[in-house]
């Protein structure tokens, strides 16, 4: 039961957020539920190129500037906030702040994920250790602290292999290495930089692991009251190597039901191994010739357009139900899959300056298209994508079947072209 003094506002504290439009989702869900938001951030400059986030933060009750990597400082700020408002919950949608938000919620007696489980998911090394111990199938891996250790791991696992940081998100720094020169370059790009994308300290070294060949899927789930509900399996489209940029999703998966269930079982087993006991999860799995194997666990809802796809397919509004959970209310987790939905992402074909964006109206004329958006304009800098941060737009479609929705999404994406001026790039 909540006790609320007369005149107090019901507030959800949001600790940092994702970039692009996804970063605004929790703000909108809270507002629709009659909650005010308070945003805690280290630096608003991080969101300078995320207009949807800036708009959402303008509507917040307040913005609090603090070191959001320090649980003690976040807890102190939230205790001060509790003196004047009815603080219902603490939430974050970004991997970089999940553990801090979980620790703050626990310290303040608010609903949330077990802080240790959040730390386990945050660190890919720890995820590998715990999942391997629990019998969850994972790639062969090692943490390399030196060039010699990185080369030894690659020779043991075979080339190509994958090198990745242990605490980044959005495929930042993840590289497929086909030879030892590429391996060493990828290793130093991670190991020689002491902080991550959000300025937080990195664990020394880099993760070197076996490359898993096969299609990638993600398992979307919600855990509540001791039970994990799998909402479905999402097919993922990845861009060309050596990068792992996500270029689209299909929900529900086109895989045969039996294979999708095998992937989901690996995802749930990984959550159990990490002690995930509350809230959303987005678990990535590769379907190899030897069966499904774990890629990583994210203790949050799927980013980009995934929650939109789930809603269009099942009617379940994940952000709304997640906010219910984090503010002490009972989520409504009943759903029925009645349609399919697909996303495709717009990226720049070359580096330079955007001169024009063509075809948006044409894309909207494709049957089944629900949404077309591009967050770049003439004069903006364009980058060839190396990670998910470089995505600049999206298309979303819905149809009776996943195959039909895929055809419509691909047709719509094909109408869109960024005209790039490469002189001086």
């Amino acid at each position: 039961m909540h006790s609320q003094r007369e005149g107090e506002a019901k507030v959800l504290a949001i600790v940092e957020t994702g970039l692009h439009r996804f970063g605004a989702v929790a703000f909108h869900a809270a507002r629709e539920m009659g909650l005010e938001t308070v945003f805690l951030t280290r630096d608003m400059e991080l969101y300078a190129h995320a207009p949807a986030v800036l708009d959402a933060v303008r509507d917040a009750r307040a913005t609090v500037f603090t070191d959001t990597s320090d649980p003690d400082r976040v807890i102190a700020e939230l205790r001060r906030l509790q003196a004047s408002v009815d603080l219902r919950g603490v939430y974050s949608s970004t991997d970089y702040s999940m553990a801090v938000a979980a620790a703050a919620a626990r310290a303040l007696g608010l609903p949330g994920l077990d802080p240790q489980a959040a730390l386990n998911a945050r660190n890919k090394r720890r995820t590998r250790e715990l999942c391997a111990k629990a019998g969850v199938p994972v790639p062969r891996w090692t943490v390399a602290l030196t060039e010699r250790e990185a080369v030894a791991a690659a020779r043991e696992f075979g080339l190509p292999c994958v090198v990745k940081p242990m605490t980044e998100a959005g495929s930042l720094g993840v590289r497929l290495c086909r030879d030892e020169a590429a391996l060493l370059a990828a290793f130093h790009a991670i190991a020689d930089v002491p902080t991550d994308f959000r300025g937080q300290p990195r664990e020394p070294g880099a993760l070197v692991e076996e490359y898993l060949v096969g299609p990638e899927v993600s398992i979307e789930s919600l855990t509540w009251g001791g039970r994990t509900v799998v909402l479905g399996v999402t097919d993922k489209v990845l861009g060309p190597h050596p990068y792992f940029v996500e270029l689209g999703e299909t929900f529900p998966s086109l895989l045969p039901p039996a294979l999708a269930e095998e992937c989901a079982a690996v995802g749930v087993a990984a959550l159990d191994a990490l002690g995930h006991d509350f809230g959303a999860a987005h678990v990535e799995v590769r379907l190899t010739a030897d069966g499904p194997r774990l890629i990583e666990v994210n203790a949050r809802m799927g980013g980009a357009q995934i929650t939109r796809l789930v809603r269009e397919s099942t009617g379940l509004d994940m952000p709304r139900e997640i906010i219910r959970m984090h503010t002490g209310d009972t989520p409504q987790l009943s759903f029925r899959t009645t349609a399919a939905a697909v996303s495709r992402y717009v990226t720049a074909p070359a580096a330079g300056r955007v001169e024009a964006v063509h075809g948006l109206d044409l894309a909207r004329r494709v049957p089944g298209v629900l949404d077309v958006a591009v967050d770049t304009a003439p004069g903006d800098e364009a980058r060839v994508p190396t990670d998910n941060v470089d995505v600049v737009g999206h298309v979303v479609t819905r149809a009776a079947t996943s195959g039909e929705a895929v055809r419509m999404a691909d047709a719509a994406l094909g109408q869109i072209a960024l005209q790039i001026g490469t002189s001086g790039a």
Side-chain angles (χ1 to χ4, degrees):
M1 294 290 292
H2 296 291
S3 60
Q4 181 180 0
R5 296 188 298 269
E6 185 177 354
E8 279 186 325
K10 294 184 292 183
V11 169
L12 173 70
I14 297 178
V15 183
E16 300 292 0
T17 193
L19 302 179
H20 301 300
R21 293 170 184 259
F22 172 65
V25 165
F27 292 89
H28 296 325
R31 185 165 60 248
E32 290 169 6
M33 297 172 63
L35 295 165
E36 294 192 42
T37 54
V38 169
F39 186 48
L40 285 79
T41 183
R42 175 178 58 86
D43 184 4
M44 281 302 299
E45 186 63 26
L46 182 65
Y47 307 97
H49 300 290
V53 174
L54 295 177
D55 287 344
V57 172
R58 286 189 195 102
D59 290 337
R61 178 186 179 93
T63 298
V64 176
F65 294 94
T66 189
D67 181 357
T68 50
S69 66
D70 185 338
D72 291 336
R73 292 194 181 185
V74 170
I75 291 166
E77 293 290 352
L78 294 177
R79 289 197 192 282
R80 281 192 282 272
L81 183 64
Q82 278 186 317
S84 58
V85 302
D86 180 12
L87 182 62
R88 292 294 182 97
V90 184
Y91 178 74
S92 183
S93 62
T94 175
D95 298 290
Y96 297 95
S97 299
M98 292 299 304
V100 169
R106 178 62 57 90
L108 298 171
L110 297 169
L113 177 64
D114 180 281
Q116 186 58 55
L119 289 169
N120 293 340
R122 175 77 183 100
N123 188 301
K124 295 176 178 63
R125 171 191 58 77
R126 185 67 176 152
T127 295
R128 294 279 184 274
E129 290 172 346
L130 291 171
C131 285
K133 183 177 180 181
V136 179
V138 299
R140 292 177 293 166
W141 62 277
T142 191
V143 173
L145 299 178
T146 65
E147 286 189 355
R148 179 176 295 181
E149 290 175 350
V151 171
R155 290 176 179 174
E156 177 185 354
F157 305 150
L159 291 169
C161 66
V162 176
V163 177
K164 61 178 65 172
M166 284 169 273
T167 56
E168 292 284 11
S171 297
L172 283 158
V174 183
R175 300 290 183 268
L176 183 73
C177 302
R178 300 186 186 278
D179 54 41
E180 290 185 2
L183 168 75
L184 294 178
F187 168 77
H188 282 293
I190 297 166
D192 294 352
V193 181
T195 56
D196 63 24
F197 178 67
R198 300 259 179 150
Q200 299 171 352
R202 272 183 173 166
E203 189 170 315
L207 197 65
V208 180
E209 62 183 35
E210 171 190 13
Y211 176 50
L212 303 179
V213 180
E216 186 168 315
V217 300
S218 61
I219 295 86
E220 322 307 335
S221 68
L222 292 170
T223 300
W224 171 259
R227 182 171 70 103
T228 295
V229 177
V230 174
L231 306 178
V233 175
T234 306
D235 290 340
K236 300 170 69 177
V237 177
L238 300 179
H241 294 318
Y243 310 113
F244 292 83
V245 181
E246 295 182 17
L247 297 181
E249 298 102 7
T250 300
F251 185 94
S253 172
L254 283 161
L255 290 175
L259 279 180
E261 289 174 7
E262 282 186 48
C263 293
V266 169
V268 173
L271 293 175
D272 290 342
L274 301 190
H276 183 93
D277 62 350
F278 182 93
H282 170 77
V283 183
E284 296 174 350
V285 170
R286 276 281 172 98
L287 184 56
T288 74
D290 297 321
R293 296 172 75 179
L294 179 72
I295 297 292
E296 67 181 47
V297 176
N298 301 282
R300 54 161 172 79
M301 58 183 170
Q305 294 296 312
I306 289 178
T307 59
R308 172 78 180 272
L309 304 188
V310 171
R311 189 185 75 219
E312 298 294 349
S313 177
T314 70
L316 182 72
D317 189 328
M318 284 186 72
R320 181 187 64 202
E321 302 312 324
I322 291 164
I323 298 305
R324 284 192 204 276
M325 297 167 68
H326 280 269
T327 54
D329 291 330
T330 300
Q332 305 298 317
L333 300 183
S334 60
F335 66 96
R336 186 165 64 93
T337 303
T338 59
V342 168
S343 62
R344 290 292 183 264
Y345 298 114
V346 181
T347 59
R353 291 284 173 185
V354 177
E355 294 183 343
V357 180
H358 300 292
L360 299 184
D361 288 343
L362 294 175
R364 295 185 180 103
R365 288 164 54 185
V366 174
V369 168
L370 299 176
D371 190 19
V372 176
V374 170
D375 294 323
T376 192
D380 289 348
E381 181 184 359
R383 285 166 39 93
V384 175
T386 61
D387 51 57
N388 298 342
V389 175
D390 295 329
V391 168
V392 297
H394 66 264
V395 168
V396 176
T397 62
R398 181 179 60 203
T401 67
S402 295
E404 183 183 359
V406 165
R407 295 293 292 144
M408 300 309 178
D410 287 341
L413 182 66
Q415 311 305 311
I416 301 171
L418 301 186
Q419 181 176 323
I420 307 297
T422 57
S423 62

